[in-house]
Amino acid sequence: MEVVVVGGGSWGCAFALVLRERGHAVSLACRDPEQARAIRETGRNPRYLELADLSGLAATTIPEAPVEAAELVVLAVPSRAFAEVAAALPGAAPVLSLTKGLDPATGRRLSTLVEGRPVAVLSGPNFAEEIAQGLPAAAVIASEDGFLAGRLQHAVSSPLFRAYVNSDLAGVELCAASKNVIALAAGAVDGLGLGDNAKAALITRGLAEMARLGEAFGARPETFAGLAGMGDLIVTCWSSHGRNRRAGELIARGATAAEAVEAIGQVVEGLTTAPVLRDLSHRAGVELPITEGVCRVLDGEDVASLVTSLMGREPTEE
């Protein structure tokens, strides 16, 4: 296929490599003209995944990308930019979203912002650094269009990248958004040195929290036990590659959110998503104590006192 990947960050570049290895003609559309020029001239991204060989990708700027002629448009942009980018896409090619978050302005799932064309979402435990190295990984492709999901599954699957399909679009998107917020809390456990028992307990209760929210929006429980839910949650909360986990760790050690982002040098989606997810849960009448706690810390509450309040909640059944 002729594919345009919009977004020259780590995940956009890594997924472009997945597509290239499957034999597709891939254009990588970057926001920064200098970044696009460097990729064209050197086969390397000067900002992200610097060691990845990007030769064979047609790097361009977003306005110059051949979107109208593409057979597939892949969006790998931050959640805060998703609505604007999606609305400006010419042509009618299907969209595959790689973005894990919610629309900050409205709280809507990102796939609902794509109008007038088929849409699918890819999610799962997929750290760009490992995929760029050719390490094996699995993902789930969700869409209400079963034919599109199957077509994309065939287009991206390889011996190193195994894709499954799932019709639970709402569940997969809510997993992708909420797991980043839980990862901030898991990082705080690391930053405070509270140990593996505490971290495992937090991740497990975080998964229950994610599933409660999904149930309120008609998601299937098994989605939260799959790659988009438990799989992505585990790797995001435990891996050294996890930006959200790292941000939570830095904040627990005294950094502000802005300082944590500066130290990491990339987008930390959980920081954007946490208040959006909290407000969504209030509208749905769903209790999300970990998410509420993360938001309170971002608003200035001491992390240690938050741990005490969470541990002191009224005992209940699991």
Side-chain angles (χ1 to χ4, degrees), residues 73-105:
V73 180
V74 178
L75 294 186
V77 298
S79 59
R80 63 175 181 266
F82 191 97
E84 180 182 358
V85 172
L89 291 176
V95 163
L96 176 62
S97 170
L98 307 184
T99 306
K100 298 180 178 181
L102 299 171
D103 179 43

Side-chain angles (χ1 to χ4, degrees), residues 21-163:
E21 295 307 309
R22 289 288 288 129
H24 303 295
V26 185
S27 296
L28 182 63
C30 305
R31 183 181 60 180
D32 182 4
E34 286 303 307
Q35 184 183 22
R37 181 192 58 77
I39 294 172
R40 286 195 306 271
E41 294 180 357
T42 68
R44 295 287 190 274
N45 189 328
R47 297 181 184 173
Y48 310 103
L49 302 180
E50 294 94 337
L51 299 180
D53 180 6
L54 304 180
S55 57
L57 303 179
T60 182
T61 62
I62 293 177
E64 296 171 341
V67 174
E68 196 158 7
E71 297 171 77
L72 175 68
V73 180
V74 178
L75 294 186
V77 298
S79 59
R80 63 175 181 266
F82 191 97
E84 180 182 358
V85 172
L89 291 176
V95 163
L96 176 62
S97 170
L98 307 184
T99 306
K100 298 180 178 181
L102 299 171
D103 179 43
T106 64
R108 290 170 60 183
R109 292 185 288 109
L110 299 180
S111 70
T112 67
L113 305 177
V114 179
E115 299 179 348
R117 64 181 78 218
V119 61
V121 169
L122 184 143
S123 192
N126 302 145
F127 277 126
E129 294 83 356
E130 293 188 359
I131 289 175
Q133 293 173 39
L135 297 176
V140 60
I141 296 173
S143 180
E144 295 173 352
D145 183 334
F147 177 79
L148 174 62
R151 182 183 175 207
L152 293 175
Q153 179 186 37
H154 175 74
V156 305
S157 291
S158 74
L160 292 176
F161 193 82
R162 181 173 176 82

Side-chain angles (χ1 to χ4, degrees), residues 175 177-189 199 201-210 233-234 236-237 244-245 248 270 273-274 277 288-292 294:
C175 282
S178 55
K179 62 93 184 179
N180 283 330
V181 181
I182 304 302
L184 288 170
V189 171
K199 188 171 179 180
L202 180 132
I203 292 171
T204 305
R205 296 312 303 160
L207 182 61
E209 185 168 302
M210 291 163 57
L233 178 65
I234 290 171
T236 306
C237 290
N244 293 279
R245 188 212 62 79
T273 303
L277 203 65
L288 303 182
I290 297 174
T291 299
E292 292 278 359
V294 168

Side-chain angles (χ1 to χ4, degrees), residues 223-274:
T223 297
F224 292 82
L227 288 167
M230 182 170 62
D232 206 3
L233 178 65
I234 290 171
V235 77
T236 306
C237 290
W238 230 285
S239 172
S240 61
H241 295 304
R243 304 176 204 167
N244 293 279
R245 188 212 62 79
R246 178 61 176 154
E249 181 180 19
L250 291 171
I251 291 169
R253 292 178 175 173
T256 65
E259 289 168 345
V261 171
E262 184 178 2
I264 292 167
Q266 297 189 56
V267 173
V268 179
E269 281 288 1
L271 297 173
T272 302
T273 303

